Amino acid sequence: MTEKVTEGTAGSEGTAGNAAARVPDRCGTARFDLAVMRGYWLLEAQLLRRVWGPVMATAVVQPLVYLLAFNAGFGGVAASAVPGNYLDFLATGMVGVAVLFGTTYAVMHRMFVRREIQRTFDAILTAPIEIREIVAAQALWTGVVGGTLGAFPILVAIPFGLHPTPGMLLVVPLGILSGIGLTLFGLLISLVVRAIDSINYIVAAVLTPAFLVAGTFFPLDALPGWAHRLALVNPLYHCVELVRHVSFGIQPSADLLHLCFLVAFSVVLYVLTVFGMHKRLID
C-alpha cells in the first residue's frame, strides 16, 4: 500500500486529512518516484540561487583562514608530528571539515526552521510525495552540494604550494558519499532538538569534537588512545582518510573498510531519519 495521495487541500484540514490517508513506510523500502524528487530538487535549486554568493564566499574564505592559521601559524609546530608535508596533511583534512559544515551544520538549522517555524513540510505533504522521498531527496541534494564544496580547500591550497595529483579528482565523489550520511545525521538532529537554540549545544558537543578527533589538523598518533577509538565510529575520520589516500597513495584494504563504514552509516541514518520524520509529521 502506498503513502501517496492524489489530491490535497491547503490549510490544516488538508494536512490532517492527508496525514490520515498515509500508511507510514518506516523503513523506506518502496520504490522512489524520481519525478516527485525532481520537484523537491527544483525547490532546493531555487533557494540555492538566492544564497549562492555567500555560500561560495564561505567555501573559499573558511579554508583560507585555516591555511593561514594552521599552516602559516602553527605549521612549524604541527609539522614535527606529521610525516611528510604538513600542507598536504592540512589541505586534505580541511576537506572533511568543509563537508561537515556544508551538510550537517547547514541542514540542522534549515530543516528545523522548515518544520517548526515555516511549516514547509505541512504544505509539501499535501502533494503526492512520501516521507522517504523527502528524506532521500534532501540527503542527495545537500550531499551533492556539500560534497562539491568540500573540494574547495584543495583548490585554495594549490596556490599555497599543494601539488595536485590525479587522485584528487575523486575528492568530490568521496565528499558526496560522506556528505549524504552527514546530511542524514543533521536531519535526524533537527528532528530530535526541541528548540533551535539547542542546535548550538550539538555544534559544541558533537560537531566540534568530530572534526578535532578525525585527524584533520593533527594526526591521531599525537592524541590519547581514546581518540583512536572514537575515530573508528567517526564518519569524518573515514572521509579524511579516504581523501588522503586517493590524493597521495591508495591503501586498498583500509580504504575498502572506510567505504563500507560510510555506506553503512548512510543506510542506518536513512532508516532512523525516515522513522523519526514519520513520528514528527504524521504519527
Side-chain angles (χ1 to χ4, degrees):
M1 185 176 293
T2 180
E3 293 178 31
K4 292 187 181 296
V5 293
T6 57
E7 184 177 356
T9 56
S12 60
E13 291 183 357
T15 302
N18 184 44
R22 293 172 181 268
V23 177
D25 177 16
R26 297 181 187 278
C27 296
T29 55
R31 189 171 60 182
F32 294 99
D33 188 337
L34 293 180
V36 169
M37 294 173 66
R38 281 197 296 269
Y40 192 91
W41 291 331
L42 179 60
L43 169 64
E44 288 289 338
Q46 292 173 341
L47 296 173
L48 181 60
R49 277 199 294 267
R50 298 179 182 179
V51 297
W52 71 269
V55 169
M56 296 296 290
T58 301
V60 173
V61 171
Q62 186 182 52
L64 182 61
V65 171
Y66 283 133
L67 281 168
L68 292 175
F70 285 91
N71 188 52
F74 304 126
V77 177
S80 60
V82 175
N85 188 346
Y86 181 66
L87 178 62
D88 295 345
F89 184 90
L90 178 62
T92 49
M94 288 190 302
V95 171
V97 178
V99 173
L100 176 68
F101 281 93
T103 55
T104 303
Y105 181 80
V107 85
M108 284 191 302
H109 292 85
R110 191 184 310 151
M111 293 301 105
F112 184 90
V113 170
R114 285 184 185 178
R115 191 188 80 246
E116 294 293 334
I117 300 175
Q118 297 175 338
R119 299 291 181 181
T120 304
F121 289 121
D122 290 346
I124 290 175
L125 287 172
T126 63
I129 186 171
E130 302 176 5
I131 291 292
R132 57 186 173 78
E133 291 168 335
I134 293 176
V135 173
Q138 187 66 60
L140 289 172
W141 175 267
T142 308
V144 169
V145 173
T148 303
L149 293 176
F152 273 66
I154 299 290
L155 300 176
V156 173
I158 290 176
F160 283 81
L162 177 68
H163 179 67
T165 65
M168 289 178 181
L169 295 174
L170 295 175
V171 170
V172 170
L174 290 175
I176 292 172
L177 174 61
S178 305
I180 290 172
L182 291 169
T183 298
L184 290 166
F185 178 71
L187 278 168
L188 187 61
I189 293 298
S190 74
L191 296 171
V192 172
V193 296
R194 297 291 181 176
I196 195 168
D197 290 339
S198 300
I199 293 176
N200 296 328
Y201 300 119
I202 301 298
V203 173
V206 179
L207 298 195
T208 301
F211 74 77
L212 290 177
V213 187
T216 50
F217 302 126
F218 307 100
L220 289 177
D221 294 340
L223 299 177
W226 57 263
H228 293 258
R229 292 187 289 272
L230 282 179
L232 295 177
V233 295
N234 183 356
L236 207 58
Y237 163 74
H238 297 279
C239 170
V240 169
E241 287 296 292
L242 283 170
V243 169
R244 287 197 176 119
H245 292 170
V246 299
S247 299
F248 305 118
I250 293 176
Q251 300 180 19
S253 57
D255 293 338
L256 180 60
L257 293 175
H258 294 314
L259 284 171
C260 288
F261 179 90
L262 291 176
V263 172
F265 180 76
S266 296
V267 171
V268 171
L269 265 293
Y270 170 74
V271 173
L272 292 176
T273 304
V274 171
F275 179 83
M277 192 168 282
H278 268 294
K279 295 291 289 184
R280 281 289 193 179
L281 298 179
I282 295 180
D283 289 354

